[in-house]
Amino acid sequence: VFVQLNGLAGIQARPGENADALARKARLRLSQFLDYNDIDERDAIIAGDVYYLEEKKSVADQQYHVTQPGETSWKVAQRYALK
């Protein structure tokens, strides 16, 4: 499912999809997809999560964020489209 998130194009992963499948759907090279999302081929793709299809920003629109239990820095970066 293609989505718009933080002003950037993204794709929401479905169960059973991997990075290669998402990259092919978006017509991106796998290396581009991995780079845009700060992941590598060993990282699991999580169903329901949104993955970016273009380069993320270096500055967030949000001034601060209060982390929640179990929340990773990667999840926060993805939420705000940060490199």
Side-chain angles (χ1 to χ4, degrees):
V1 177
F2 290 97
V3 297
Q4 195 74 10
L5 186 63
N6 295 307
L8 300 175
I11 189 168
Q12 187 173 31
R14 293 183 178 169
E17 289 184 315
N18 59 28
D20 188 53
L22 294 174
R24 276 188 278 118
K25 281 185 180 180
R27 298 183 181 184
L28 293 174
R29 291 188 317 273
L30 177 59
S31 61
Q32 284 177 298
F33 179 82
L34 297 172
D35 186 51
Y36 293 161
N37 290 285
D38 302 310
I39 58 176
D40 64 39
E41 292 182 64
R42 295 177 305 230
D43 291 319
I45 296 298
I46 300 166
D49 278 3
V50 172
Y51 295 86
Y52 289 97
L53 304 178
E54 55 187 309
E55 192 169 346
K56 296 187 285 185
K57 305 176 254 181
S58 55
V59 178
D61 296 333
Q62 191 81 13
Q63 288 188 349
Y64 66 92
H65 174 83
V66 177
T67 56
Q68 302 301 310
E71 193 172 46
T72 65
S73 58
W74 182 83
K75 278 278 196 187
V76 173
Q78 286 294 96
R79 174 179 287 163
Y80 299 111
L82 289 172
K83 293 181 187 179

